[in-house]
Amino acid sequence: MAEPVVDILMYHSVSDRGGATAIEPATFAAQMDAIAEAGLPVIALDDLLAARDGRGALAPHSLILTFDDGFQDFADAAWPVLERHGFRPIVYLPTAHVGRSEDWRGIADPPRPLMGWGTIAALAAEGVAFGSHSVSHADLDALSPEALHAELERSRQRIEDRLGRRVTHFAPPYGIAGPAVRAEIARLYRSSVGTRLGRARPGDDPFDLPRLEMHYFRDIGRWRAHLAGRGAAYLAARRGLRALRGMVARPWQGTVSGSAR
Ligand SMILES: [Zn+2]
């Protein structure tokens, strides 16, 4: 039997603001409807890790829903749709920005507001999981070991203090996490997702899990085809384009290709 495949979907903002980090609410709703119609299970990261450890089994194809940054539009636009379907996502919070606005590299203009702790606590009670996205939304590879440790440890502590539950999942800002950073994440968390494009499997390194950038699946026909198991060629083409762009863009720009994550 083939190893089960898990699509870890990556979202940021669900709004009409445009740009690579925003998905229109109607498109998001259609993407979620397509999952429900396909009858595919939405699982939690803990389920993937349990399967990895031999403590549980997975369906041949399941999905995990992730949202980076904790924008206010998650509560306003995304959660009502998810709740209707009974889908349970995870939201990664940069804790210094909670209740404020984005102010990191490549943000929208004007900056988009992030959820406050009251909203986050209410969502947690309704079934939303929360992970850490660092304290300050820093480029972790650029930090000293001490500063890196503080970004990882303090953000986790803050969310745990606020929500009274363990925080075991991490998403590095911009998807940037070299070997040293990944090793430190592994000391403090149980998983880390990046921006590497691909489908996850239980045997994958849990600290370098690939995700699907859902901006690439705004065409609902394309998304339905993927869910039906007919998306391999499109995904391979997208991965090739990204690799090419990365090689061209990085040397002199010194930035991550694409837009801010
Ligand atoms: Zn981010």
Side-chain angles (χ1 to χ4, degrees):
M1 213 175 83
E3 193 180 12
V5 62
V6 181
D7 287 328
I8 306 177
L9 280 48
M10 175 170 63
Y11 289 100
H12 291 79
S13 167
V14 175
S15 68
D16 292 315
R17 291 286 298 274
T21 59
I23 298 259
E24 303 81 357
T27 302
F28 175 76
Q31 288 172 336
M32 295 302 108
D33 288 347
I35 295 170
E37 284 160 20
L40 297 172
V42 171
I43 64 170
L45 275 166
D46 289 329
D47 298 322
L48 172 60
L49 297 180
R52 174 186 169 77
D53 299 344
R55 290 181 288 111
L58 295 178
H61 182 190
S62 53
L63 300 100
I64 294 172
L65 310 179
T66 73
F67 293 78
D68 287 10
D69 304 330
F71 290 114
Q72 178 60 38
D73 57 53
F74 172 82
D76 299 339
W79 178 236
V81 175
L82 297 170
E83 195 178 27
R84 194 162 67 236
H85 286 298
F87 295 165
R88 295 286 179 264
I90 182 166
V91 179
Y92 296 103
L93 303 172
T95 52
H97 299 281
V98 166
R100 307 164 78 100
S101 293
E102 57 183 342
D103 77 344
W104 49 85
R105 190 170 81 215
I107 59 169
D109 180 26
R112 297 165 292 196
L114 272 60
M115 296 184 285
W117 287 115
T119 301
I120 290 165
L123 290 168
E126 292 175 16
V128 178
F130 289 93
S132 168
H133 196 42
S134 82
V135 172
S136 69
H137 206 280
D139 172 353
L140 300 178
D141 276 357
L143 300 180
S144 69
E146 295 74 23
L148 170 64
H149 183 80
E151 287 278 347
L152 299 180
E153 176 65 32
R154 287 182 194 161
S155 55
R156 185 184 69 167
Q157 199 63 54
R158 184 102 172 105
I159 302 169
E160 289 186 343
D161 287 349
R162 284 292 185 155
L163 300 184
R165 60 169 72 166
R166 285 197 65 205
V167 170
T168 57
H169 303 297
F170 189 82
Y174 317 104
I176 297 174
V181 168
R182 282 213 292 273
E184 184 67 10
I185 294 170
R187 291 194 337 108
L188 296 165
Y189 295 87
R190 295 187 61 220
S191 85
S192 181
V193 290
T195 56
R196 187 163 61 83
L197 183 65
R199 315 182 80 187
R201 289 174 177 77
D204 285 352
D205 178 355
F207 296 100
D208 187 25
L209 292 170
R211 289 193 283 183
L212 293 185
E213 165 54 80
M214 291 307 290
H215 209 257
Y216 295 154
F217 293 98
R218 282 179 303 151
D219 179 316
I220 292 303
R222 180 106 58 197
W223 179 232
R224 286 183 201 280
H226 175 88
L227 293 174
R230 300 191 307 269
Y234 176 67
L235 201 58
R238 273 291 172 187
R239 200 184 289 121
L241 277 173
R242 265 167 74 117
L244 198 64
R245 259 207 319 269
M247 280 194 303
V248 171
R250 278 181 199 211
W252 59 87
Q253 289 188 344
T255 59
V256 183
S257 66
S259 58
R261 301 297 178 205

